[in-house]
Amino acid sequence: MAVIHDTIQAFELFQPSSIEDALALKRRYGKTSWTFAGGLDSLDWFKDRIKRPEAVIDLGSIEELKGIRSTDDGIEIGALTTLTEIVNNADIRERFSLLSDAAAKVATPQIRNQGTIGGNLAQDTRCWYYRGGWPCYRAGGNICYADTPTSINREHALFEANRCVAVNVSDTAPALIALDAKIVIRDSSGERVVDAEDFFMVPAIDIRRMTILEPGDLLTAIRIPNTWAGAAFYFEKVRDRQAWDFALVAVAAAMKLSGTTIDDVRLVVNSVGPRPLRLTDVERQLKGQPHSEDVAADAGELALLGARPLQHNAFKIPLMRNLVRRAIRDVEA
Ligand SMILES: Cc1cc2nc3c(=O)[nH]c(=O)nc-3n(C[C@H](O)[C@H](O)[C@H](O)COP(=O)(O)OP(=O)(O)OC[C@H]3O[C@@H](n4cnc5c(N)ncnc54)[C@H](O)[C@@H]3O)c2cc1C
Ligand code: SF4
């Protein structure tokens, strides 16, 4: 009988206790290094022997990357904060419940206990061909196995496909974009802060990455400004099973109302493209409109402009239309 060894390819393990030491290691090992947070995504890759880094930099001992702090203008969440801490944090539940609701929908309690917010944002796509080690475009090859007439592609993209039709599956990402969050990134030359909306990558720019993170970068924190604190929120994720599963479509909305008029709104859909999709045309159309069933239904229709279904994912079109409609109609203060 064949003996299957579930062994991981050997690597050097580093456990720095400061951001500076982690960045020095990233500078030293460059593309051959791997940042390791909760390990949920990372260990899958290593055990399947598809990703084979030389140096693994485990962030687990860096205290300054952990925890949730109030700031003058909102809240700052360290990249190594677990999803469970985010779900349970009273301040986030009070002011930014869109994020705690989204984090609560990630996978299972065990995964939320171990998985970090930084890892959730930086996680790779779940296209099963790519995850299975098939040498597709994203893996450096010259074909997409998911986009042929016989491919199974029911989880794949409606928007922004370009050779690769894989989607972003982070549940916290659309919530953070709706809240106008900022992502704090450090490399050895200093810190830069980008809008969460601009953190994600499309294949037309770089097919090998899901985010703008470069090999020398560390995501250190997420800052949520008070702009949308206490607004009306809506998060909904539809998946095949109500046990742990990735979204087929997810929607996050933040809305400010004056009486029954929509003053301002941010609307983001995920798992329909390579990055979370902010629906700015729909947002523009909604501002100044009455908060009504008809306006919500029109928003659902407008959201679909430009959608291009594949062989097996056309069901995502009515699904997305209905989620957008419900997000506008049922948003709760
Ligand atoms: C069975 C299963 C079900 C899941 N279901 C869902 C789901 O329903 N919804 C959902 O959103 N997610 C889901 N996930 C994904 C899970 O939430 C992520 O795997 C997890 O959040 C990743 O966090 P981590 O801390 O374990 O990251 P790791 O696995 O350690 O890292 C993930 C990636 O992020 C990079 N990274 C991590 N931290 C940093 C940092 N600070 N700076 C730079 N790069 C960094 C790593 O290099 C790696 O590429 C699921 C995962 C599993 C295993
Ligand atoms: S969708 Fe992207 S990740 Fe999946 S097989 Fe095609 S190129 Fe690879």
Side-chain angles (χ1 to χ4, degrees):
M1 199 176 96
V3 178
I4 297 169
H5 295 283
D6 188 15
T7 51
I8 294 176
Q9 162 105 355
F11 51 73
E12 283 203 76
L13 175 66
F14 294 95
Q15 296 182 303
S17 56
S18 71
I19 293 177
E20 282 67 30
D21 286 351
L23 290 174
L25 286 161
K26 289 189 82 61
R27 198 169 53 243
R28 186 159 133 212
Y29 287 94
K31 281 187 175 164
T32 66
S33 74
W34 183 279
T35 307
F36 188 98
L40 288 160
D41 209 9
S42 306
L43 286 169
D44 271 359
W45 284 123
F46 299 170
K47 287 178 79 177
D48 290 342
R49 280 161 273 176
I50 298 169
K51 308 278 186 191
R52 299 163 182 241
E54 278 177 28
V56 171
I57 304 165
D58 175 4
L59 306 179
S61 306
I62 307 181
E63 290 304 318
E64 51 190 311
L65 289 177
K66 298 178 187 172
I68 300 164
R69 305 166 274 279
S70 279
T71 63
D72 289 345
D73 177 38
I75 206 164
E76 182 172 276
I77 306 171
L80 221 61
T81 306
T82 66
L83 297 167
T84 298
E85 287 172 85
I86 288 168
V87 173
N88 293 337
N89 182 269
D91 205 8
I92 295 181
R93 289 165 81 113
E94 169 79 23
R95 293 195 282 156
F96 305 109
S97 59
L98 184 61
L99 177 61
S100 42
D101 286 354
K105 296 282 184 341
V106 173
T108 62
Q110 294 86 345
I111 288 170
R112 295 193 292 273
N113 287 344
Q114 176 74 12
T116 66
I117 183 80
N120 191 261
L121 293 175
Q123 67 175 296
D124 213 336
T125 181
R126 290 274 158 179
C127 171
W128 303 117
Y129 296 97
Y130 168 62
R131 285 272 167 176
W134 294 48
C136 66
Y137 285 130
R138 187 170 288 278
N142 59 6
I143 190 172
C144 172
Y145 296 96
D147 192 14
T148 77
T150 53
S151 303
I152 302 302
N153 49 28
R154 61 187 297 283
E155 290 98 355
H156 290 72
L158 296 175
F159 298 93
E160 296 191 327
N162 182 304
R163 292 190 294 150
C164 176
V165 295
V167 298
N168 183 297
V169 291
S170 165
D171 288 324
T172 60
L176 287 169
I177 294 172
L179 291 168
D180 198 16
K182 317 292 168 196
I183 308 287
V184 185
I185 299 169
R186 288 263 305 266
D187 68 7
S188 40
S189 61
E191 178 180 292
R192 63 191 197 277
V193 181
V194 299
D195 288 342
E197 190 179 349
D198 299 328
F199 178 69
F200 299 95
M201 180 63 72
V202 289
I205 295 178
D206 188 342
I207 205 167
R208 307 290 300 272
R209 300 190 272 172
M210 297 299 286
T211 72
I212 61 169
L213 290 174
E214 301 281 352
D217 287 341
L218 263 190
L219 192 174
T220 56
I222 293 112
R223 294 184 188 141
I224 310 179
N226 277 329
T227 328
W228 291 88
F233 296 130
Y234 190 92
F235 183 84
E236 187 171 358
K237 165 183 180 179
V238 172
R239 46 191 154 176
D240 278 323
R241 313 172 307 148
Q242 288 305 327
W244 70 259
D245 213 345
F246 295 92
L248 293 166
V249 181
V251 66
M255 190 185 283
K256 291 179 188 169
L257 288 156
S258 280
T260 55
T261 302
I262 300 170
D263 260 357
D264 204 358
V265 61
R266 284 173 75 100
L267 188 58
V268 187
V269 185
N270 208 12
S271 293
V272 294
R275 61 173 171 168
L277 208 62
R278 183 166 165 218
L279 302 175
T280 45
D281 287 346
V282 184
E283 292 173 3
R284 257 193 302 277
Q285 156 119 344
L286 284 167
K287 282 185 207 171
Q289 295 288 316
H291 185 223
S292 69
E293 175 82 47
D294 285 351
V295 165
D298 287 349
E301 296 297 335
L302 183 61
L304 294 171
L305 280 185
R308 291 174 57 131
L310 306 165
Q311 191 82 355
H312 296 292
N313 71 352
F315 74 95
K316 284 193 178 187
I317 291 198
L319 182 54
M320 179 172 153
R321 177 193 296 126
N322 288 337
L323 286 193
V324 168
R325 179 168 58 86
R326 285 214 288 266
I328 302 305
R329 186 190 65 191
D330 298 343
V331 70
E332 274 177 21

